[in-house]
């Protein structure tokens, strides 16, 4: 990976940076990391970040409060899309895809096959933050940029425990730590710490979960009425499916929550054997081999039945 961000900034005065809907740690980290890098090293460029309202645990990232939740009518010289697995997943900046002069997409989802001015997709890398790091000059990465990138790597590697973690990932993380970042606080505050409502939802999801295929798959769902009862948002569901996957003997975990009546956001995780991105793609979703997502229609039982048509072949 030899190319650097500098070559895409020639004759560029305005930049928009955007991530996907319901932004997770890697999305927030890569977007804010890119923004802070441009802020620190290209003061002549006017850059804006577009993200749906990130959850409060990400507040420690500098300038996160400057992220825009409403799409601007500005025509940008360059739109940088980060952690976007498909164009229908672009969040609040979706309209900019048609108005920006050029579009650069940096990603690591194996299911990303969309067309942009430039697409650099590296599914073998741990996170989009790792992809972004490769496009930056390590000597020019400041402490605040390093905090954002480190956070993203932490989240997409499950604090360096997932199979996507490589020796190179660890070396990059070490180089970011050397910038003087509060790495322990980043992990505690943005990854492990949960609100009371998030813990209640996690408890409910675990209590109402059930096993299938001789304990190889665990399933749970949270209905819209339950989310309304807890005054919960989609961001409050983050991490539940991964906790379910930690159940002994489980190879695949399936967690879904109801966006509106009959519409479910489904998260899939696997431990070692099943490529859940293949199953997600069948229903219009995508992601990684061990972590994927899709939106499906029907009752929760309809969704489970449709998914198990394919998952059963892999598990039994």
């Amino acid at each position: 990976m030899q190319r650097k961000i500098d070559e895409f900034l020639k004759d560029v005065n305005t930049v928009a940076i955007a991530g996907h809907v319901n932004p997770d740690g890697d999305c927030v980290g890569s977007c804010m990391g890119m923004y802070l890098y441009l802020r620190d090293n290209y003061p002549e460029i006017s850059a804006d970040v577009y993200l749906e309202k990130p959850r409060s645990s990400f507040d420690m990232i500098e300038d996160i409060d400057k992220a825009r939740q409403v799409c601007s009518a500005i025509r940008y010289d360059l739109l940088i899309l980060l952690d976007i697995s498909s164009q229908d997943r672009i969040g609040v900046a979706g309209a900019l895809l048609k108005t920006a002069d050029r579009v650069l997409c940096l990603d690591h989802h194996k299911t990303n096959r969309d067309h942009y001015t430039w697409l650099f997709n590296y599914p073998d890398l741990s996170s989009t933050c790792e992809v972004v790091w490769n496009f930056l000059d390590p000597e020019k990465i400041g402490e605040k940029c390093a905090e954002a990138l480190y956070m993203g790597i932490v989240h997409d590697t499950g604090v360096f425990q997932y199979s996507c973690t490589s020796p190179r990932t660890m070396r990059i993380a070490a180089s970011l730590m050397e910038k003087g970042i509060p790495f322990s606080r980043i992990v505690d505050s943005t990854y492990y710490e949960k609100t009371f409502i998030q813990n209640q939802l996690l408890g409910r999801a675990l209590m109402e979960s059930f096993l299938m295929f001789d304990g190889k798959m665990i399933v749970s769902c949270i209905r819209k009425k339950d989310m309304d009862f807890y005054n919960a948002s989609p961001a409050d569901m983050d991490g539940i499916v991964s906790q379910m996957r930690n159940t002994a003997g489980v190879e695949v975990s399936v967690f879904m929550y109801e966006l509106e009546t009959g519409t479910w956001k489904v998260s899939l995780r696997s431990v070692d054997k099943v490529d859940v991105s293949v199953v997600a793609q069948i229903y219009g979703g995508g992601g990684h081999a061990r972590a994927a997502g899709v939106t499906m229609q029907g009752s929760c039982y309809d969704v489970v039945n449709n998914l198990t048509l394919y998952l059963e072949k892999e598990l039994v």
Side-chain angles (χ1 to χ4, degrees):
M1 190 184 299
Q2 299 297 322
R3 306 189 75 168
K4 296 295 181 182
I5 194 65
D6 306 59
E7 64 184 276
F8 302 98
L9 298 176
K10 295 176 181 176
D11 301 318
V12 167
N13 296 308
T14 56
V15 173
I17 301 166
H20 58 69
V21 294
N22 191 22
D24 59 8
D26 187 31
C27 177
V28 172
S30 57
C31 287
M32 294 308 302
M34 179 65 76
Y35 170 81
L36 293 166
Y37 184 85
L38 296 184
R39 184 201 68 179
D40 294 344
N41 298 288
Y42 297 87
E44 70 279 10
I45 293 178
S46 176
D48 296 316
V49 180
Y50 290 87
L51 285 171
E52 290 181 2
K53 182 65 175 177
R55 67 176 194 261
S56 58
S57 61
F58 297 141
D59 286 350
M60 69 174 296
I61 300 301
E62 181 149 303
D63 284 354
I64 189 70
D65 58 313
K66 294 183 179 180
R68 300 186 177 197
Q69 280 79 57
V70 178
C71 192
S72 171
I74 299 172
R75 184 183 182 95
Y76 291 92
D77 296 330
L78 177 66
L79 170 62
I80 302 177
L81 298 176
L82 299 168
D83 207 33
I84 301 289
S85 59
S86 62
Q87 292 183 2
D88 60 1
R89 295 265 303 155
I90 300 175
V92 293
L96 300 181
L97 191 61
K98 296 181 180 179
T99 62
D101 291 345
R102 287 155 284 178
V103 181
L104 167 65
C105 182
L106 304 181
D107 190 28
H108 74 131
H109 293 89
K110 62 179 291 188
T111 55
N112 186 346
R113 299 183 180 90
D114 288 328
H115 297 284
Y116 304 99
T117 313
W118 303 283
L119 169 63
F120 297 96
N121 188 26
Y122 300 92
D124 292 336
L125 298 189
S126 69
S127 56
T128 299
C129 280
E130 184 171 342
V131 177
V132 168
W133 184 92
N134 282 281
F135 275 77
L136 307 183
D137 182 343
E139 298 299 321
K140 295 181 179 179
I141 294 176
E143 179 182 348
K144 299 305 179 181
C145 172
E147 288 180 8
L149 296 179
Y150 185 85
M151 181 190 74
I153 293 174
V154 162
H155 279 249
D156 256 28
T157 61
V159 195
F160 309 108
Q161 65 174 313
Y162 297 160
S163 60
C164 62
T165 307
S166 70
R168 178 175 171 78
T169 304
M170 302 300 289
R171 287 192 288 269
I172 291 172
S175 74
L176 296 172
M177 291 170 66
E178 289 170 347
K179 301 289 183 177
I181 65 174
F183 54 90
S184 294
R185 186 162 67 89
I186 290 172
V187 174
D188 288 339
S189 298
T190 73
Y191 189 83
Y192 287 118
E193 185 177 278
K194 304 294 181 184
T195 66
F196 182 64
I197 288 176
Q198 288 172 330
N199 280 331
Q200 285 186 305
L201 289 165
L202 172 60
R204 182 163 190 151
L206 293 175
M207 184 174 65
E208 297 182 359
S209 64
F210 56 93
L211 295 172
M212 300 180 67
F213 309 129
D214 296 324
K216 295 178 182 177
M217 186 168 89
I218 187 170
V219 180
S220 188
C221 67
I222 297 288
R223 293 171 174 81
K224 182 68 166 62
K225 63 179 182 180
D226 300 321
M227 292 181 65
D228 291 341
F229 175 80
Y230 290 104
N231 193 27
S233 69
D236 292 315
M237 306 297 157
D238 194 36
I240 293 178
V241 68
S242 296
Q243 186 62 46
M244 290 167 56
R245 186 182 62 172
N246 291 336
T247 306
V250 162
E251 168 60 28
V252 171
S253 62
V254 179
F255 174 67
M256 64 192 82
Y257 60 88
E258 202 170 21
L259 296 169
E260 56 189 47
T261 303
T263 300
W264 299 85
K265 176 66 175 70
V266 184
S267 295
L268 306 167
R269 298 290 186 273
S270 68
V271 176
D272 183 52
K273 301 175 182 177
V274 179
D275 186 341
V276 290
S277 71
V278 174
V279 179
Q281 280 187 284
I282 293 170
Y283 296 103
H288 311 288
R290 303 289 170 254
V294 61
T295 300
M296 298 179 68
Q297 307 294 322
S299 69
C300 62
Y301 303 106
D302 294 330
V303 172
V304 172
N305 288 336
N306 286 327
L307 290 172
T308 52
L309 287 174
Y310 299 94
L311 290 171
E312 183 177 13
K313 299 174 184 178
E314 302 291 332
L315 292 169
V316 177

